[in-house]
Amino acid sequence: MHEFKYIHKQLYCEKLKVAGLAEKFGTPLYVYSYDTLVGHFLKLKEAFKSIKPLICYSVKANSNLAILRALVNQGAGLDIVSGGELFRARRAGCPANRIVYASVGKTDYEIKEAIKSGIFFFNVESFPELKNIQHIARRLKRRVNVALRINPDVEPKTHKYITTGKLTNKFGIDFQSAKRIILLARGFSHVKISGLHIHIGSQITTPEPFVAAITRIIRFILVLKKEGIALEYLNIGGGLGIIYDRETPQTAARFAARILPLLKKSGLKIIMEPGRFIAGNAGILVTKVLYVKNTPKKKFIIVDAGMNDLIRPALYDAYHNIVPLQRTENRKQEAEKADIVGPICESGDFLAKERIVPNLEEGDYLAVMGAGAYGFSMASNYNSRRRPQEVLVNKDKVSVIRKRESYKDLIRNEL
Ligand code: LLP
């Protein structure tokens, strides 16, 4: 499932030439493939069809309304982490009973809005938060479903900033405390702890960390059962990695083959929260070469997209494949090492370091691959740069799903 491919040396997104989109809409430009996006969701659904999980796409990966709508229309639920994401989820037409809400720092306002809209689950990350939800729910005279987010203390072997299931991370509750909280919460009138939640990290490329975490959770479910506590749902979070470089792909089928037996053993209904797996390879960032600069030590390809448009290389040292929209033979022979950098006034503003690139010239277009997840959603206006335009391609049709910001947009809320 990859709808970005070369046909006669030209990069296509589905049936459209990406260079044509760059000419038409300008750069930097995010281009998404509808087929790839929806295809990944359907693959996951198919792989787990024997247990019919509720697949809640993680909004933070790419929160554009058109992206959310495309997935919601296929039956996806949504995983949110803020009042803003709740607003988007509702705007995208997601039924409230398919929305789950995590975050270590939900405010009273956010909790109130989420209760009023009738979301399916709060994934609760601490005892004070649980008490607060109980308090607010009582005032609103509503009873809410809660899943305790467990921190299973496993090593997901990913970047430290996206590791979330170790006891040194701020997320979730350790097993011992969780048991205490569950017993205490039996006396709470307006929250019902009917599930457990885990999310151990992101861009996890092997099944072992998932297996370890789920195994621990199942052991815990059995301990609770012995105490007479029955749960209904297990939310296994997201975290499935994708191919950026030379990772071995964790296909939906291979992932399912390893964890399905465990999930069945849990006896609970399953929720999952994939983000990157669905959106990551469904989007690219198209950028144009502004200048080629040679210094005594290095070659720099200066492009019109910067760390404000795609922060992953700067923040996580993330690798993104970067390819020309048009391949030519002789360029290959002249390939050499260069840094691909943006226009922002920071040395951390790079898309690639020491990368073998074809001999590029001013005006050439490049595609930064795998930019569909945590690309636009992490974009900023740093250096007073307008955030890029986003377009969605469906076969031979292209829709603008977010206009390029204007200079006026930059100062809109300033007084
Ligand atoms: N559920 C929860 C509670 C999460 O915190 C996350 C992501 C997900 C699900 C979705 O995880 P995914 O399936 O996408 O791995 N900005 C970073 C990734 C941060 C992930 C944060 N949490 C990056 O660009 O690599």
Side-chain angles (χ1 to χ4, degrees), residues 58 60 79 162 199 202 238-239 273-276 312 316 374 378:
S58 193
K60 65 178 83 65
D79 151 48
I162 50 178
H199 172 75
S202 196
E273 305 172 331
R276 191 190 315 266
R312 302 195 69 258
Y316 314 112
Y374 309 107
M378 296 182 81

Side-chain angles (χ1 to χ4, degrees), residues 367-392:
V368 184
M369 307 305 288
Y374 309 107
F376 189 94
S377 65
M378 296 182 81
S380 78
N381 291 119
Y382 187 41
N383 275 205
S384 280
R385 286 168 53 81
R386 298 168 295 161
R387 281 180 298 172
Q389 180 144 321
E390 295 177 283
V391 299
L392 178 61

Side-chain angles (χ1 to χ4, degrees), residues 203-215:
Q203 184 54 16
I204 301 168
T205 51
T206 63
E208 283 74 28
F210 293 104
V211 170
I214 297 170
T215 304

